[in-house]
Every structure is written in structure tokens, then in C-alpha cells.
């Protein structure tokens, strides 16, 4: 793996950026043996704020932080990038549904996908956080035909972490006991957090919790609507937890931490047709990562009719989103 590693972050002056950058620069995301060059991309009105963030990063005196580039130019921002974190987008406001943002945010990802294909490192990996994350990743992937499709992912790790937190709380067990939590479909209120295959202390979560009504009801809706609940309470969308989930996503994918034997993690990746989901649609699946930039979609996960119905509904939403941005693909 490259040393130093070039990490491009869009929307770096935003609230996720503020929680994310110190965790990249400290080595938590990519390893304590890897120097980092941060290439921070913003839109012109946010460049002053970005300079302030960069001053703070300097003042953190991170030994692994080799250099910081600040730019509103995509070619400069993605030049030689080994990792591109596409965070920048207009966040969902109070009471606004993700779907409303599709047309607004989609075009941003055309330009970014093109620039990544042209100037980033040949081995670049891309993770999209900006919403609607799955469809934005689809747009970026479609705008970068020279790059293998599997390099493009969208983040659903926050949804997995939210589901794990709910299961931990209900079962009264340490978080480390909770494994095999898979998020299926879209990063939206239609997502399906699969509790039927989740395990607690190696046993089926359903058996440990013993309350199917809670799992089908409060558990599902709490995870699906957690983003909206945080906006309601905080007046701003999740930032600390989103940054933390992105650290998890990248660390497991390419930061040296392969998925432990028997477990899986959740990532939205281009479907390869697994489970009958349209090839190329960026869909969240349970995956196993190798920590070196590779992953595979877990095969043979048993899905009940209940689960299949939920996944189909979320995939249908992704198909609708794809239609809305068809002209950008
Ligand atoms: P902020 O509004 O705090 O920051 C966004 C930043 O992006 C701003 O500084 C803005 O100037 C910049 N930006 C806008 N357009 C840009 C462009 N074309 N190029 C570069 N920068 C650009 O939002 P924040 O809370 O940081 O959230 C960022 C995105 O993450 C939003 O789209 C949000 O909806 C999404 N989220 C995704 C999550 C996920 O799990 N996938 C969870 C958290 C979050 O809601």
C-alpha cells in the first residue's frame, strides 16, 4: 500500500468533514504506519472556512499528516488520489426527505466522477457519503467508465452501527457481542436492517431478544428513521456518527482490517446480480472485506419472505431514483 497515501475529501469544511479529518490524519482510518496527504475540496464560498479547518489540522500536530492541499478545483483536488471521500453535498434540512435532494445533488457527482477517472491514481477507491448516497455513487461510477465499477461504494455503515446500537441496548450485552448485521437496499428510510441473520454472542439475535414484534416494529423504524430523529433533536444532521462510520467503512475496506471470519459488514456496492438485484445498481449488501481494497458480496444469506419484501421495496426505490437521474448516467 502507498505511503504516503493521498486522500481527497469533498465538502471538507462541512460538519462531517470537521469530525472526519482529524480521524484520518491521526491514522485511525488507514493505519498508524501510513502518512497521509489530505486534498480538501470545497466550493468557493466555503474556502475561507476550509482555511480555518486546515489551520486547526496543522495545530493538531499529527505526526502522520504530511501535507494539506486546499482547493475548489476538482482536477487539483483528485490528482493522484488513492482514496476519494465524496462527502460534500447539500444536507437534508428539517422535514425534508432525501428524495427531494436527488435532482439538486446529482449533477455534482458527474463532474467528480469524471475528474476522478482522469486524474486520480489508477488504484483509487471511492466512498460516497453525500446524499442520496447510493444514487450519487451510481452517477459518479457512470461518469467514470475507465475505472472498475467495484471501486465505487456508498456508505451504509452508519445504518449498520445504528442497528448494532439498538440490538446492544435491547439485549443488554456489549457491542462486541453483536455480529452479522447486514443493511440491505438504500441508505434511506426504506433500508432493511436484517435482524433475522444478526447474531448476539454467536446466537441468532431473534432468539436472544425473544421479541419479534419489537424487531419488526420499533427496531426497524428506529434504524430507518434515526437520521430524521437526530435532525429533529439537534437541528442538524448526524456528523460525528457519520464520520465515525466512514472511518469504519474505509478501515475495513482498505485500511488493513479484514472482516473477521464468519462476520460481515454493510456497504452499498454495485450489484453483481446477487439476490436478483439489478446488475450495477448501487445497493447495500452484507460484504466481506479484505482490508486491502477488495470485498465480496456475501452469498447464501437466508432471506425470509418478510425480508425479501422489505428488500424489494428498497430496491424499487433505488430503481426510481435511477430513473430520476437517467439523463446523468
Ligand atoms: P454540511 O452542509 O455541513 O457540509 C457539506 C459541505 O459540502 C459544505 O461545506 C459545502 O460547502 C460542501 N459542498 C457542497 N457542494 C459541494 C461541491 N459541489 N463540491 C465540494 N463541496 C461541496 O453537511 P454535512 O453534515 O457535512 O453532510 C454532508 C453530506 O452527508 C450530506 O449530503 C448529508 O445528507 C450526508 N450524510 C450522509 C450519511 C450517510 O450515512 N451516508 C449520514 C450523514 C449525512 O446526513
Amino acid at each position: 500500500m502507498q505511503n504516503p497515501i493521498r486522500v481527497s475529501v469533498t465538502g471538507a469544511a462541512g460538519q462531517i468533514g470537521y469530525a472526519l479529518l482529524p480521524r484520518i490524519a491521526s491514522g485511525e482510518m488507514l493505519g498508524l504506519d501510513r502518512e497521509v496527504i489530505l486534498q480538501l475540496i470545497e466550493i468557493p464560498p466555503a474556502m475561507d472556512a476550509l482555511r480555518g479547518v486546515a489551520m486547526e489540522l496543522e495545530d493538531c500536530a499529527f505526526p502522520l499528516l504530511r501535507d494539506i492541499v486546499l482547493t475548489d478545483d476538482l482536477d487539483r483536488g483528485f490528482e493522484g488520489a488513492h482514496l476519494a471521500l465524496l462527502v460534500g453535498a447539500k444536507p437534508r434540512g428539517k422535514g425534508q426527505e432525501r428524495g427531494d435532494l436527488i435532482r439538486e445533488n446529482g449533477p455534482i457527482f458527474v463532474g467528480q466522477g469524471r475528474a476522478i477517472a482522469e486524474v486520480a491514481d489508477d488504484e483509487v477507491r471511492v466512498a460516497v457519503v453525500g446524499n442520496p448516497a447510493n444514487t450519487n455513487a451510481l452517477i459518479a461510477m457512470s461518469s467514470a467508465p475507465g475505472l472498475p465499477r467495484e471501486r465505487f461504494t456508498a456508505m451504509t455503515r452508519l445504518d449498520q452501527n445504528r442497528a448494532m446500537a439498538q440490538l446492544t441496548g435491547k439485549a443488554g450485552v456489549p457491542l462486541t457481542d453483536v455480529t452479522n448485521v447486514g443493511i440491505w437496499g438504500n441508505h434511506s428510510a426504506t433500508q432493511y436492517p436484517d435482524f433475522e441473520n444478526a447474531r448476539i454472542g454467536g446466537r441468532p439475535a431473534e432468539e436472544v431478544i425473544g421479541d419479534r414484534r419489537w424487531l419488526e416494529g420499533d427496531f426497524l423504524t428506529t434504524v430507518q428513521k434515526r437520521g430524521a430523529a437526530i435532525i429533529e433533536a439537534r437541528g442538524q444532521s448526524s456528523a460525528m456518527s457519520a464520520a465515525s462510520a466512514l472511518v469504519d467503512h474505509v478501515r475495513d475496506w482498505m485500511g488493513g482490517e479484514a472482516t473477521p471470519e464468519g462476520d460481515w459488514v454493510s456497504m452499498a456496492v454495485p450489484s453483481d446480480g446477487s439476490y436478483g438485484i439489478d446488475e450495477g445498481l448501487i445497493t447495500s449488501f452484507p460484504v466481506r472485506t479484505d482490508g486491502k481494497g477488495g470485498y465480496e458480496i456475501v452469498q447464501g444469506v437466508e432471506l425470509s419472505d418478510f425480508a425479501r419484501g422489505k428488500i424489494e421495496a428498497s430496491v424499487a426505490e433505488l430503481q426510481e431514483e435511477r430513473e430520476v437521474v437517467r439523463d446523468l448516467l
Side-chain angles (χ1 to χ4, degrees):
M1 218 25 122
Q2 311 77 9
N3 201 4
I5 186 163
R6 291 181 176 273
V7 183
S8 301
V9 183
T10 70
Q15 47 152 7
I16 294 177
Y18 196 76
L20 175 69
L21 298 176
R23 300 194 59 188
I24 305 175
S26 67
E28 275 180 85
M29 179 183 267
L30 293 154
L32 294 172
D33 53 354
R34 193 93 57 88
E35 290 191 327
V36 177
I37 297 174
L38 285 175
Q39 306 188 163
L40 308 182
I41 305 171
E42 262 295 350
I43 47 175
M47 287 305 290
D48 277 342
L50 187 61
R51 276 186 275 278
V53 172
M55 283 190 253
E56 282 208 65
L57 277 170
E58 283 168 20
D59 296 349
C60 289
F62 290 117
L64 293 173
L65 183 56
R66 175 77 78 84
D67 197 9
I68 309 173
V69 174
L70 309 180
T71 185
D72 57 10
D73 178 75
L74 294 181
D75 287 345
R76 179 137 190 267
F78 290 119
E79 192 173 2
H82 303 107
L83 172 64
L85 304 175
L86 308 187
V87 179
K90 189 175 173 294
R92 194 170 37 151
K94 215 169 172 172
Q96 188 182 25
E97 269 308 313
R98 278 172 75 265
D100 304 338
L101 284 180
I102 297 178
R103 285 301 317 174
E104 218 164 327
N105 278 331
I108 297 173
F109 293 84
V110 173
Q112 293 181 353
R114 279 190 196 139
I116 290 168
E118 269 170 36
V119 301
D121 187 82
D122 288 347
E123 291 295 315
V124 66
R125 303 289 191 278
V126 182
V128 178
V129 174
N131 276 322
N134 298 51
T135 297
N136 289 339
L138 180 70
I139 296 169
M141 180 181 83
S142 307
S143 306
L147 286 173
R149 295 202 298 193
E150 64 274 11
R151 303 284 186 78
F152 289 82
T153 65
M155 185 175 90
T156 51
R157 185 62 171 261
L158 178 54
D159 306 299
Q160 175 192 324
N161 289 348
R162 286 167 171 167
M164 289 173 75
Q166 292 303 312
L167 293 173
T168 299
K170 182 76 173 175
V173 297
L175 189 87
T176 45
D177 280 9
V178 181
T179 62
N180 302 84
V181 177
I183 303 295
W184 294 76
N186 200 0
H187 167 68
S188 77
T190 67
Q191 66 174 275
Y192 175 59
D194 175 13
F195 57 82
E196 291 178 336
N197 288 288
R199 302 186 83 81
I200 298 178
R203 290 166 57 207
E206 209 177 324
E207 193 183 296
V208 175
I209 284 174
D211 185 352
R212 170 100 195 176
R213 247 182 89 190
W214 178 78
L215 288 164
E216 277 189 21
D218 281 358
F219 166 75
L220 272 195
T221 48
T222 300
V223 176
Q224 289 170 332
K225 302 209 179 256
R226 188 70 159 185
I230 286 168
I231 293 173
E232 188 61 38
R234 220 169 77 83
Q236 282 186 298
S237 54
S238 330
M240 184 206 303
S241 54
S244 199
L246 189 56
V247 171
D248 294 342
H249 176 115
V250 175
R251 187 197 54 222
D252 291 0
W253 186 15
M254 60 183 287
E257 296 248 342
T259 311
E261 199 53 43
D263 199 0
W264 55 61
V265 292
S266 303
M267 276 179 18
V269 301
S271 171
D272 58 0
S274 294
Y275 302 93
I277 295 169
D278 307 14
E279 242 187 290
L281 199 63
I282 305 262
T283 309
S284 187
F285 288 100
V287 304
R288 293 184 47 76
T289 61
D290 66 6
K292 299 178 201 154
Y295 65 82
E296 57 185 24
I297 296 173
V298 179
Q299 298 299 318
V301 176
E302 275 187 40
L303 297 171
S304 66
D305 288 346
F306 174 81
R308 281 185 189 282
K310 297 278 181 204
I311 295 168
E312 273 165 26
S314 195
V315 169
E317 183 186 53
L318 283 170
Q319 291 165 335
E320 280 164 29
E321 290 186 12
R322 183 177 55 188
E323 286 319 304
V324 174
V325 297
R326 181 59 79 185
D327 58 317
L328 303 179
L329 303 179

Coordinates of all heavy atoms in Angstrom, one line a residue, residues 9-18 41-47 49 71 74 86-92 98 101 105 108-109 112 128-134 136 154-159 162 187 227 231 234 236-239 241-243 245, ligand 1:
V9 N -11.0 14.7 0.0 CA -12.3 14.8 0.7 C -13.1 16.0 0.2 O -12.6 17.1 0.3 CB -12.1 15.0 2.3 CG1 -13.4 15.0 3.0 CG2 -11.2 13.9 2.8
T10 N -14.2 15.8 -0.3 CA -15.1 16.9 -0.8 C -16.0 17.3 0.4 O -16.2 16.6 1.3 CB -16.0 16.5 -2.0 OG1 -17.0 15.6 -1.5 CG2 -15.2 15.9 -3.1
G11 N -16.4 18.6 0.3 CA -17.2 19.1 1.4 C -16.4 19.2 2.8 O -17.0 19.0 3.8
A12 N -15.1 19.4 2.6 CA -14.2 19.2 3.8 C -14.5 20.3 4.9 O -14.1 20.1 6.0 CB -12.8 19.2 3.4
A13 N -15.1 21.4 4.5 CA -15.4 22.4 5.5 C -16.7 22.2 6.2 O -17.1 23.0 7.1 CB -15.3 23.8 4.9
G14 N -17.4 21.1 5.9 CA -18.7 20.9 6.5 C -18.6 20.2 7.8 O -17.5 19.9 8.3
Q15 N -19.8 19.9 8.4 CA -19.7 19.3 9.7 C -19.2 17.9 9.8 O -18.5 17.5 10.7 CB -21.1 19.5 10.5 CG -22.3 19.2 9.7 CD -23.4 18.7 10.7 OE1 -23.3 18.8 11.9 NE2 -24.5 18.2 10.2
I16 N -19.5 17.1 8.8 CA -18.9 15.7 8.8 C -17.4 15.9 8.6 O -16.6 15.2 9.3 CB -19.5 14.8 7.7 CG1 -21.0 14.6 8.0 CG2 -18.7 13.5 7.6 CD1 -21.7 13.8 7.0
G17 N -17.0 16.8 7.7 CA -15.5 17.0 7.5 C -14.8 17.3 8.8 O -13.7 16.8 9.1
Y18 N -15.5 18.1 9.6 CA -14.8 18.6 10.8 C -14.6 17.4 11.8 O -13.6 17.4 12.5 CB -15.7 19.7 11.5 CG -15.0 20.5 12.5 CD1 -14.1 21.5 12.2 CD2 -15.2 20.2 13.9 CE1 -13.4 22.2 13.2 CE2 -14.6 20.9 14.9 CZ -13.7 21.9 14.5 OH -13.1 22.7 15.5
I41 N -11.4 19.5 -0.8 CA -12.1 20.2 -1.9 C -13.4 20.8 -1.4 O -14.2 20.2 -0.6 CB -12.5 19.1 -3.0 CG1 -11.2 18.4 -3.4 CG2 -13.2 19.8 -4.1 CD1 -11.5 17.2 -4.3
E42 N -13.5 22.1 -1.7 CA -14.7 22.8 -1.3 C -15.2 23.7 -2.5 O -14.5 23.8 -3.5 CB -14.5 23.7 -0.1 CG -14.9 23.1 1.2 CD -16.4 22.9 1.3 OE1 -17.2 23.4 0.5 OE2 -16.9 22.2 2.3
I43 N -16.4 24.3 -2.3 CA -16.9 25.2 -3.3 C -16.4 26.6 -2.9 O -16.0 26.8 -1.7 CB -18.4 25.2 -3.4 CG1 -19.1 25.3 -2.0 CG2 -18.9 24.0 -4.1 CD1 -20.6 25.4 -1.9
P44 N -16.2 27.6 -3.8 CA -15.6 28.8 -3.5 C -16.1 29.5 -2.2 O -15.3 30.0 -1.4 CB -15.8 29.7 -4.7 CG -15.9 28.7 -5.8 CD -16.6 27.5 -5.2
P45 N -17.4 29.6 -2.0 CA -17.8 30.3 -0.7 C -17.4 29.7 0.6 O -17.4 30.4 1.6 CB -19.4 30.3 -0.8 CG -19.8 29.7 -2.1 CD -18.6 29.1 -2.7
A46 N -16.9 28.4 0.5 CA -16.5 27.8 1.7 C -15.0 27.7 1.9 O -14.5 27.1 2.8 CB -17.1 26.4 1.8
M47 N -14.3 28.4 1.0 CA -12.8 28.2 1.0 C -12.2 28.9 2.3 O -11.2 28.4 2.8 CB -12.2 28.8 -0.2 CG -12.4 27.9 -1.5 SD -11.8 26.2 -1.3 CE -10.0 26.4 -1.2
A49 N -13.6 29.1 5.3 CA -13.9 28.2 6.4 C -12.9 27.0 6.3 O -12.4 26.6 7.3 CB -15.3 27.7 6.3
T71 N -8.4 23.3 -2.1 CA -8.7 23.7 -3.5 C -10.2 23.7 -3.8 O -11.0 22.9 -3.1 CB -8.0 22.8 -4.5 OG1 -8.2 23.3 -5.8 CG2 -8.5 21.4 -4.4
L74 N -11.5 20.6 -9.1 CA -11.6 19.1 -9.0 C -10.3 18.4 -9.5 O -9.9 17.4 -8.9 CB -12.8 18.6 -9.8 CG -14.2 19.1 -9.3 CD1 -15.3 18.5 -10.1 CD2 -14.4 18.7 -7.8
L86 N -16.4 11.3 -1.0 CA -17.3 12.3 -1.6 C -18.4 12.6 -0.5 O -19.4 12.0 -0.5 CB -17.9 11.8 -2.9 CG -16.8 11.3 -3.9 CD1 -17.5 11.0 -5.2 CD2 -15.7 12.3 -4.1
V87 N -18.0 13.6 0.3 CA -18.9 13.9 1.4 C -19.8 15.2 1.1 O -20.9 15.3 1.5 CB -18.1 14.2 2.7 CG1 -18.9 14.6 3.9 CG2 -17.2 13.0 3.1
G88 N -19.2 16.1 0.3 CA -19.9 17.3 0.0 C -21.2 17.2 -0.8 O -21.2 16.5 -1.8
A89 N -22.2 17.8 -0.3 CA -23.5 17.9 -0.9 C -24.3 18.8 0.0 O -23.9 19.1 1.1 CB -24.1 16.5 -1.0
K90 N -25.5 19.1 -0.5 CA -26.4 19.9 0.3 C -27.0 18.9 1.3 O -27.6 17.9 0.8 CB -27.4 20.6 -0.5 CG -28.3 21.6 0.1 CD -29.2 22.3 -0.9 CE -30.2 23.2 -0.2 NZ -31.1 22.4 0.6
P91 N -26.9 19.1 2.6 CA -27.6 18.1 3.5 C -29.1 18.3 3.6 O -29.6 19.4 3.2 CB -26.9 18.4 4.9 CG -26.5 19.8 4.8 CD -26.3 20.2 3.3
R92 N -29.7 17.3 4.0 CA -31.2 17.3 4.2 C -31.5 18.2 5.3 O -31.0 18.1 6.4 CB -31.6 15.9 4.5 CG -33.0 15.6 4.4 CD -33.3 14.1 4.5 NE -32.4 13.4 5.5 CZ -32.7 12.4 6.2 NH1 -33.9 11.8 6.0 NH2 -31.8 11.8 7.0
R98 N -35.0 12.7 1.7 CA -33.9 12.5 0.9 C -34.2 12.6 -0.6 O -33.4 13.2 -1.4 CB -33.3 11.1 1.1 CG -32.4 10.9 2.2 CD -32.1 9.5 2.4 NE -31.1 9.0 1.4 CZ -31.4 8.5 0.2 NH1 -32.6 8.3 -0.1 NH2 -30.5 8.1 -0.6
L101 N -33.7 15.7 -2.7 CA -32.3 16.2 -2.9 C -31.7 15.6 -4.2 O -30.7 16.0 -4.6 CB -31.4 15.8 -1.8 CG -31.6 16.6 -0.5 CD1 -30.6 16.1 0.5 CD2 -31.3 18.1 -0.8
N105 N -28.6 17.4 -6.0 CA -27.2 17.0 -5.7 C -26.6 16.1 -6.9 O -25.4 16.0 -6.9 CB -27.1 16.2 -4.4 CG -27.0 17.1 -3.2 OD1 -26.5 18.2 -3.3 ND2 -27.6 16.7 -2.1
I108 N -23.5 17.3 -9.3 CA -22.2 17.4 -8.6 C -21.3 16.2 -8.9 O -20.1 16.2 -9.1 CB -22.3 17.6 -7.1 CG1 -23.1 18.8 -6.7 CG2 -21.0 17.5 -6.4 CD1 -23.4 18.9 -5.2
F109 N -22.0 15.0 -8.9 CA -21.3 13.7 -8.9 C -20.8 13.3 -10.4 O -20.0 12.5 -10.5 CB -22.1 12.7 -8.2 CG -22.1 13.0 -6.7 CD1 -23.1 13.9 -6.2 CD2 -21.2 12.5 -5.9 CE1 -23.1 14.2 -4.9 CE2 -21.2 12.8 -4.5 CZ -22.2 13.7 -4.0
Q112 N -17.4 15.1 -10.5 CA -16.5 14.5 -9.7 C -16.1 13.1 -10.2 O -14.9 12.8 -10.2 CB -17.0 14.4 -8.2 CG -17.2 15.8 -7.6 CD -17.7 15.8 -6.2 OE1 -18.1 14.7 -5.7 NE2 -17.8 16.9 -5.6
V128 N -18.9 7.3 -1.2 CA -19.8 8.4 -1.3 C -20.6 8.5 0.0 O -21.2 7.5 0.5 CB -20.8 8.3 -2.5 CG1 -21.7 9.4 -2.5 CG2 -19.9 8.2 -3.8
V129 N -20.7 9.7 0.6 CA -21.5 9.9 1.8 C -22.6 10.9 1.5 O -23.7 10.7 2.0 CB -20.6 10.4 3.0 CG1 -21.4 10.8 4.2 CG2 -19.5 9.4 3.4
G130 N -22.3 11.9 0.7 CA -23.3 12.9 0.4 C -24.6 12.3 -0.2 O -24.5 11.4 -1.0
N131 N -25.7 12.7 0.3 CA -27.0 12.1 0.0 C -27.6 12.7 -1.3 O -27.4 13.8 -1.6 CB -28.0 12.3 1.1 CG -27.8 11.2 2.2 OD1 -27.5 10.1 1.8 ND2 -27.9 11.6 3.4
P132 N -28.4 11.9 -2.0 CA -28.7 10.5 -1.8 C -27.5 9.6 -2.2 O -27.2 9.5 -3.3 CB -29.9 10.2 -2.7 CG -29.8 11.2 -3.8 CD -29.1 12.4 -3.2
A133 N -26.9 9.0 -1.1 CA -25.6 8.4 -1.3 C -25.5 7.3 -2.4 O -24.6 7.3 -3.2 CB -25.1 7.9 0.0
N134 N -26.5 6.4 -2.4 CA -26.4 5.3 -3.4 C -26.5 5.8 -4.8 O -25.7 5.4 -5.6 CB -27.6 4.3 -3.2 CG -27.6 3.6 -1.8 OD1 -27.5 4.3 -0.8 ND2 -27.7 2.3 -1.8
N136 N -26.0 8.9 -5.9 CA -24.8 9.8 -6.2 C -23.6 8.9 -6.6 O -22.9 9.2 -7.5 CB -24.4 10.7 -5.0 CG -25.5 11.8 -4.8 OD1 -26.2 12.1 -5.7 ND2 -25.5 12.3 -3.6
A154 N -21.0 3.3 -1.6 CA -21.7 4.4 -0.8 C -21.8 3.8 0.6 O -21.8 2.6 0.9 CB -23.1 4.7 -1.4
M155 N -21.9 4.8 1.6 CA -21.8 4.4 3.0 C -23.1 4.0 3.6 O -24.1 4.8 3.6 CB -21.2 5.5 3.8 CG -21.0 5.2 5.2 SD -20.1 6.5 6.1 CE -21.5 7.4 6.7
T156 N -23.2 2.8 4.0 CA -24.4 2.4 4.9 C -23.9 1.9 6.2 O -24.7 1.3 7.0 CB -25.3 1.3 4.2 OG1 -24.5 0.3 3.7 CG2 -26.0 1.9 3.0
R157 N -22.6 2.1 6.5 CA -22.1 1.6 7.7 C -22.7 2.3 8.9 O -22.8 1.8 10.0 CB -20.6 1.8 7.7 CG -19.8 1.3 9.0 CD -20.0 -0.3 9.0 NE -19.2 -0.8 10.1 CZ -18.0 -1.4 9.8 NH1 -17.5 -1.5 8.6 NH2 -17.3 -1.9 10.8
L158 N -23.1 3.6 8.7 CA -23.8 4.3 9.8 C -25.1 3.6 10.2 O -25.4 3.4 11.4 CB -24.1 5.7 9.4 CG -24.8 6.6 10.5 CD1 -24.1 6.6 11.8 CD2 -24.9 8.0 10.0
D159 N -25.8 3.1 9.2 CA -27.0 2.3 9.4 C -26.7 1.0 10.2 O -27.5 0.7 11.1 CB -27.7 2.1 8.1 CG -27.9 3.3 7.3 OD1 -28.6 4.2 7.8 OD2 -27.4 3.5 6.2
R162 N -26.0 1.9 13.7 CA -27.2 2.3 14.4 C -28.0 1.0 14.8 O -28.5 0.9 15.9 CB -28.1 3.2 13.5 CG -27.6 4.6 13.4 CD -28.3 5.3 12.2 NE -27.9 6.7 12.2 CZ -28.2 7.5 11.2 NH1 -28.8 7.1 10.1 NH2 -27.9 8.8 11.2
H187 N -29.7 3.7 1.4 CA -29.4 4.5 2.6 C -30.6 5.5 2.7 O -30.5 6.6 2.3 CB -28.1 5.2 2.6 CG -28.0 6.2 3.6 ND1 -27.9 5.9 5.0 CD2 -27.9 7.6 3.6 CE1 -27.8 7.0 5.7 NE2 -27.8 8.0 4.9
G227 N -31.8 9.0 11.2 CA -31.3 10.3 10.7 C -32.2 11.4 10.9 O -31.8 12.5 11.4
I231 N -31.9 14.9 13.3 CA -32.1 16.3 12.8 C -33.1 17.0 13.7 O -33.0 18.1 14.1 CB -32.6 16.3 11.3 CG1 -31.5 15.8 10.4 CG2 -33.1 17.6 10.9 CD1 -32.0 15.5 9.0
R234 N -31.3 17.7 17.1 CA -30.0 18.5 17.1 C -30.2 19.8 16.2 O -29.4 20.7 16.2 CB -28.9 17.6 16.6 CG -27.6 17.8 17.2 CD -26.6 16.7 16.8 NE -26.1 16.9 15.4 CZ -25.0 17.6 15.1 NH1 -24.4 18.2 16.1 NH2 -24.6 17.7 13.9
Q236 N -29.5 19.6 13.2 CA -28.5 19.4 12.1 C -28.4 17.9 12.0 O -28.6 17.1 12.9 CB -27.2 19.9 12.6 CG -27.0 21.4 12.4 CD -25.6 21.9 12.7 OE1 -25.1 21.7 13.8 NE2 -25.0 22.4 11.7
S237 N -28.0 17.5 10.8 CA -27.9 16.0 10.5 C -26.7 15.4 11.2 O -25.8 16.1 11.6 CB -27.9 15.8 9.0 OG -26.9 16.5 8.4
S238 N -26.7 14.1 11.3 CA -25.6 13.4 12.0 C -24.3 13.7 11.4 O -24.1 13.7 10.2 CB -25.8 11.9 11.8 OG -27.2 11.5 11.7
A239 N -23.3 14.0 12.2 CA -22.0 14.3 11.7 C -20.9 13.5 12.4 O -20.2 12.8 11.8 CB -21.7 15.8 11.9
S241 N -21.3 10.7 14.2 CA -21.5 9.3 13.9 C -21.3 8.9 12.4 O -20.8 7.8 12.1 CB -22.9 8.9 14.3 OG -23.9 9.7 13.7
A242 N -21.6 9.9 11.5 CA -21.3 9.7 10.1 C -19.8 9.6 9.9 O -19.4 8.7 9.1 CB -22.0 10.8 9.3
A243 N -19.1 10.5 10.5 CA -17.6 10.5 10.3 C -17.0 9.2 10.8 O -16.2 8.5 10.2 CB -17.0 11.7 11.0
A245 N -18.5 6.3 11.2 CA -18.9 5.2 10.3 C -18.0 5.1 9.0 O -17.7 4.0 8.5 CB -20.4 5.3 9.9
Ligands
LIG1 P1 -22.6 20.3 5.6 O1 -23.6 21.2 4.9 O2 -22.2 20.7 7.0 O3 -21.3 20.3 4.7 C1 -21.4 20.0 3.4 C2 -20.2 20.7 2.7 O4 -20.2 20.3 1.4 C3 -20.3 22.2 2.8 O5 -19.1 22.8 3.4 C4 -20.4 22.6 1.3 O6 -19.8 23.9 1.1 C5 -19.8 21.5 0.6 N1 -20.2 21.3 -0.8 C6 -21.4 21.5 -1.3 N2 -21.3 21.2 -2.6 C7 -20.1 20.8 -2.9 C8 -19.4 20.5 -4.1 N3 -20.0 20.5 -5.3 N4 -18.1 20.2 -4.0 C9 -17.4 20.2 -2.8 N5 -18.0 20.6 -1.7 C10 -19.3 20.9 -1.7 O7 -23.1 18.8 5.5 P2 -22.7 17.5 6.3 O8 -23.4 17.5 7.6 O9 -21.2 17.5 6.4 O10 -23.2 16.4 5.4 C11 -22.6 16.1 4.1 C12 -23.5 15.1 3.4 O11 -23.5 13.8 4.1 C13 -24.9 15.5 3.2 O12 -25.3 15.2 1.9 C14 -25.6 14.6 4.2 O13 -27.0 14.4 3.8 C15 -24.8 13.3 4.1 N6 -25.0 12.3 5.1 C16 -24.9 11.0 4.8 C17 -24.9 10.0 5.7 C18 -24.7 8.6 5.3 O14 -24.9 7.7 6.1 N7 -24.5 8.2 4.0 C19 -25.2 10.3 7.1 C20 -24.9 11.7 7.5 C21 -25.2 12.7 6.5 O15 -26.6 13.0 6.6

